[in-house]
Amino acid sequence: MGKEYSAIDGRLRAFIEAQPMFFTATAPLSGDGTVNLSPKGVTGSFAVLDERTVAYLDFAGSNAETIAHLRENGRITLMWCAFQGPPNIVRVHGRGEVVLRDDARFAELVGRFDADPADHGLRAVVVVHAERIRDTCGYAVPLMQYEADRDLHERRFAREDDESLSRYFEGKEHVAVSLDGLPGLPLPLPPLAATAQVTPPAWPLGNGGALRTTGSGDAEGVIGFPATS
């Protein structure tokens, strides 16, 4: 009823890119830490960078659990569900990296998305290197009709500038520090304008910019963090 894939391409990629939302799951290393599960939307805020690497824009919010968990251990799972059409669930299990505003790669990465970063209070880009790609039947997922993106998030954060956005984050209890006390979003927030002056290296980074595979066929070393067993 399920299948594993070696790459995000063809119909699998088309399915992922067609979904109006997906979910992210992360957790701290601590056995009693808080597991985090977040829905992600906003048209144009997700991108497939290559057949083993995806990314999404991390927008303003009252928490930064995903950022904190990725900074600690890098583990992440993304999930897409078919709420329309044939049933399907796709999961990408992998290693994530938080690319912050003052990272040399930030400007180039933002250019890979259709969403306007200024409209939603962009904090970072989350890049995920897939270690396992698989689907399952999705027979129990209900059929639901997508109407449109909500405009509330854009209306709330489009009026913020870099300085006021940083103050907003500083006023939230669990942005700089996670629910479990882990370092979250570094503050004060670097201005978006500064990233325009950076000439970023070509994507992907690491290992001379090459996608390398192990003997088992797993890709490694794409975005600057070490491959794991």
Side-chain angles (χ1 to χ4, degrees), residues 24-53:
T24 69
T26 58
L29 293 176
S30 172
D32 60 356
T34 305
V35 177
N36 188 66
L37 179 63
S38 294
K40 302 295 181 181
V42 181
T43 299
S45 64
F46 174 83
V48 177
L49 302 182
D50 62 42
E51 63 180 16
R52 300 282 297 189
T53 314

Side-chain angles (χ1 to χ4, degrees), residues 62-64 67-68 71 123 169-170 172-178 181-187:
S62 299
N63 296 278
I67 288 176
R71 291 183 67 191
R123 305 189 297 192
F169 292 140
E170 290 168 350
K172 296 297 179 181
E173 183 178 4
H174 296 302
V175 172
V177 179
S178 78
L182 295 173
L185 182 70
L187 295 172

Side-chain angles (χ1 to χ4, degrees), residues 213-225:
T213 58
T214 64
S216 63
D218 294 328
E220 64 177 4
V222 175
I223 59 173
F225 45 74

Side-chain angles (χ1 to χ4, degrees), residues 68-219:
H69 296 162
L70 292 182
R71 291 183 67 191
E72 185 203 35
N73 61 70
R75 301 177 303 173
I76 189 169
T77 298
L78 309 182
M79 183 181 76
W80 295 260
C81 298
F83 294 111
Q84 301 178 40
N88 194 21
I89 298 172
V90 172
R91 292 179 177 88
V92 170
H93 307 262
R95 308 293 295 183
E97 181 183 11
V98 182
V99 180
L100 299 169
R101 286 174 165 219
D102 54 358
D103 191 298
R105 299 166 292 177
F106 187 83
E108 191 272 343
L109 279 170
V110 170
R112 302 289 294 269
F113 300 90
D114 293 330
D116 188 338
D119 287 344
H120 294 274
L122 180 62
R123 305 189 297 192
V125 180
V126 174
V127 180
V128 178
H129 167 52
E131 294 181 332
R132 172 174 291 177
I133 307 161
R134 62 191 183 97
D135 66 8
T136 51
C137 65
Y139 290 169
V141 175
L143 287 167
M144 295 187 288
Q145 186 69 34
Y146 168 71
E147 294 183 4
D149 288 355
R150 297 179 189 268
D151 65 354
L152 296 175
H153 194 275
E154 181 177 355
R155 287 165 54 193
R156 168 62 185 86
F157 290 102
R159 65 176 183 262
E160 302 285 357
D161 58 23
D162 292 327
E163 184 177 349
S164 65
L165 189 63
S166 190
R167 288 198 304 269
Y168 169 83
F169 292 140
E170 290 168 350
K172 296 297 179 181
E173 183 178 4
H174 296 302
V175 172
V177 179
S178 78
L179 292 168
D180 299 311
L182 295 173
L185 182 70
L187 295 172
L189 194 69
L192 273 179
T195 65
Q197 307 303 316
V198 176
T199 301
W203 186 266
L205 300 177
N207 299 316
L211 180 65
R212 187 175 67 199
T213 58
T214 64
S216 63
D218 294 328

